[in-house]
Amino acid sequence: MTETKTATERINIERLMSKIEALGQVGGLPGGGVCRLALTDEDKAGRDLVVSWMKELGLKVTVDEVGNIIGIRAGRTDGAPFLMGSHIDTVRTGGYYDGNYGVLGGLEVIACLNDARITTEIPVGVGVFTNEEGARFAPDMLGSLAHQGQLDKEAALGAVSIDGKVLRDELVRIGYMGTEPVGSMRAAGYVELHIEQGPVLEREGITIGAVEGVQGISWTEVNIKGVSNHAGTTPMSMRCDAAYCAARIAVFVRELALRMGRRQVATVGAITVWPNLVNVVANRAKLTVDLRNTDNELLKQAEAELAAFLEQLKQDEKVGIETRKLARFEPVDFAPEMIDLVEREARALGFSVKRMPSGAGHDAQAFAPNCPTGMIFVPSVRGISHNIEEHTEPKDLEAGANVLLRVVLNRAGSAA
Ligand code: HGY
Ligand code: MN
Ligand code: MN
C-alpha cells in the first residue's frame, strides 16, 4: 500500500533541494562550493534571494539593527514565536549546507504548514543571523548574540573585518542596516537544523543527532613583532624572526591538544607574515589560535598553557608578542525537553538517533540561555565541512527536515 503522506507529515525534498542548489549558486566557486563571506556582495545576493522566498511564503519579514532577517508566520494567538533558523554566510571554502540547510529547512517547514493550511497556536518563524561564521568579522555568532541581548549592539556594529571594513558600514553598503530594534526579541523556543560537520553520525551509521549542547570556544589573535633582516648575512644568534615564532606557536597548540587528549582541539587557521619575502627574516606575523573543549576548566587550562608558552617565546626569541581575544564562549547545554523531543520525533519517524555535543559553534547557543533550545544534526559525508567537498545525502537532508517539521508542530501547536 503506498504510504499516504499529508503535507504536515512529510516535507517536500525536491522543493528543499531546489532551494539548496539555487542558493548554492550565489557565491558559487568555479570548482564547486561557495564563498559567501558575511556582508559581502555575495551575502547580499543570498539575503535578497532568501527574503524573496520568505515573502513568497507569506512571512512578515523584518531586518534588525545588525542585519538579522526574521520571517514570521502568524499563529492563532500573538506573542513570542517559536523560531527556526541559522545562517547563510559561509567561510571562504564553504559548502552548500553549513547554515543554509537550517534556514532553507525552516522555509520548507513553513511551506508544509501553508500547503496543509495549518494554523499554529503560536507564531512560527525563521531567522537568518548575521556573521555566524566569524570568518570575516569576529566574534562568530555575532548576529544571534546581539539578537538575544548577549552582545552589545554598538560592539557588534563596530566590529572590524579582516579586510579592514566596519560592520556598520558594510550593513549600510549592502542595504541590510535594518530598523527593527535588536536584542529585545525573545522566542518561545528555538530549534536549529544543521549538518554535523564531523564524522560521528556517518561512522556509526546514525541518521539524526539530538544535540546536547555546544563546546566552549576560545579565539585569540596573536601579533608578533620581530626585526626584519637579511636572510644570508644575519647570524642565527642575532635573529628576531617573527615567522619562526608563528611556526613555533602552531606546533605548540597541536602538541598541547594531543597532550591534553580527550575532547581538546586546537587550530592555527590563519597566519600572515611580513614582508613575506624569500630573503628577508620576517619582522611581523599575525596568527589566530582556535581552542575548544566541552569542559570549560580544561579550556581555561589550555588557554593558560598557551599564555605561558607565549611569554617564554617572547624571552627566548627577543620578539614582541601581543594577543587580542576575538571570541570566548563557555560550553552551552541545550534544554533537556528539546533534546528529548528531537530524540522522540526522530524515533517516531523510524530514524536512528544519537545524543551528542556539537564541536562547531552555532546560532542556537545564543538562544539557549533565553528559551528552550535544541538542534537537529544530520550526517556529513566523510565528516568534512568548511570545505567545498562538504556533502550530505538528500535522504538525510529529508530526514532532518522531517524531524524539524514534527518538532515545530509539537512546540507551536497546530490549532486547526
Ligand atoms: O567556528 C565555528 O564553530 C562556526 O562555524 N562558526
Ligand atoms: Mn554553521
Ligand atoms: Mn561554519
Side-chain angles (χ1 to χ4, degrees), residues 24-356:
Q25 304 313 309
V26 180
L29 294 166
V34 186
C35 177
R36 199 163 51 228
L37 290 171
L39 307 187
T40 56
D41 293 344
E42 294 77 17
D43 188 24
K44 171 187 172 43
R47 285 164 169 261
D48 292 350
L49 181 59
V50 171
V51 167
S52 72
W53 287 333
M54 285 184 163
K55 288 181 176 166
E56 277 171 20
L57 288 165
L59 298 183
K60 178 174 174 288
V61 181
T62 56
V63 179
D64 74 18
E65 295 164 305
V66 298
N68 295 311
I69 302 165
I70 307 288
I72 296 289
R73 180 178 191 267
R76 192 182 66 80
T77 61
D78 290 332
F82 184 80
L83 286 184
M84 301 170 276
S86 196
H87 59 95
I88 66 164
D89 65 304
T90 74
V91 295
R92 245 188 219 118
T93 54
Y96 276 22
Y97 309 97
D98 177 1
N100 305 306
Y101 172 51
V103 170
L104 300 180
L107 296 187
E108 175 53 29
V109 165
I110 298 291
C112 289
L113 298 177
N114 289 351
D115 293 349
R117 292 188 174 67
I118 287 274
T119 303
T120 51
E121 198 57 32
I122 61 172
V124 171
V126 180
V128 181
F129 299 103
T130 297
N131 191 60
E132 185 281 341
E133 289 295 359
R136 189 180 180 212
F137 298 89
D140 52 345
M141 285 76 75
L142 177 145
S144 46
L145 289 167
H147 185 267
Q148 287 298 299
Q150 294 170 59
L151 178 65
D152 170 69
K153 176 181 78 172
E154 291 309 319
L157 292 171
V160 178
S161 67
I162 54 175
D163 49 320
K165 302 280 192 257
V166 180
L167 192 131
R168 170 191 281 105
D169 301 342
E170 287 294 274
L171 280 175
V172 171
R173 186 182 67 82
I174 68 166
Y176 277 90
M177 167 62 89
T179 52
E180 194 73 11
V182 69
S184 54
M185 180 185 185
R186 292 294 174 266
Y190 179 84
V191 61
E192 182 164 353
L193 179 62
H194 208 287
I195 54 172
E196 177 202 336
Q197 301 181 285
V200 175
L201 292 174
E202 181 186 60
R203 187 176 56 207
E204 299 186 21
I206 291 175
T207 304
I208 298 291
V211 188
E212 295 167 306
V214 179
Q215 67 179 340
I217 301 175
S218 164
W219 284 3
T220 305
E221 178 187 272
V222 181
N223 282 288
I224 304 165
K225 197 166 172 352
V227 176
S228 65
N229 221 323
H230 195 296
T233 59
T234 311
M236 296 311 286
S237 62
M238 279 179 60
R239 294 181 181 214
C240 305
D241 184 339
Y244 167 71
C245 291
R248 285 282 307 276
I249 295 166
V251 170
F252 172 77
V253 297
R254 162 64 71 94
E255 292 174 349
L256 172 67
L258 296 177
R259 175 162 43 83
M260 290 181 69
R262 293 190 288 178
R263 289 190 181 274
Q264 184 61 45
V265 291
T267 313
V268 168
I271 297 183
T272 313
V273 293
W274 290 267
N276 204 27
L277 297 171
V278 61
N279 58 353
V280 180
V281 176
N283 67 334
R284 271 193 63 207
K286 179 162 79 171
L287 63 142
T288 57
V289 177
D290 179 324
L291 300 172
R292 305 195 196 199
N293 200 308
T294 50
D295 178 316
N296 201 46
E297 290 312 307
L298 290 175
L299 184 55
K300 285 197 284 191
Q301 179 195 322
E303 289 173 313
E305 294 206 31
L306 172 63
F309 176 78
L310 295 179
E311 201 44 50
Q312 189 59 52
L313 190 63
K314 218 160 91 173
Q315 314 298 334
D316 297 349
E317 296 301 321
K318 301 182 291 302
V319 293
I321 296 184
E322 286 179 8
T323 60
R324 181 166 73 98
K325 192 56 84 185
L326 297 177
R328 179 58 164 96
F329 302 117
E330 299 212 350
V332 164
D333 295 325
F334 289 148
E337 65 196 276
M338 292 297 287
I339 305 166
D340 293 346
L341 179 59
V342 169
E343 189 175 44
R344 196 167 56 245
E345 296 300 356
R347 291 202 196 291
L349 286 168
F351 300 131
S352 52
V353 54
K354 174 190 182 67
R355 290 176 174 236
M356 61 193 292

Side-chain angles (χ1 to χ4, degrees), residues 11 13 16 84 101-102 105-106 108-109 191-195 207-209 342 345-346 349 351-352 375-379 392-408:
I11 63 107
I13 186 60
L16 174 55
M84 301 170 276
Y101 172 51
E108 175 53 29
V109 165
V191 61
E192 182 164 353
L193 179 62
H194 208 287
I195 54 172
T207 304
I208 298 291
V342 169
E345 296 300 356
L349 286 168
F351 300 131
S352 52
M375 287 190 76
I376 305 162
F377 273 175
V378 292
T392 293
E393 297 301 336
K395 66 175 174 54
D396 292 332
L397 296 171
E398 182 178 18
N402 275 319
V403 175
L404 180 69
L405 172 59
R406 290 176 69 112
V407 166
V408 168

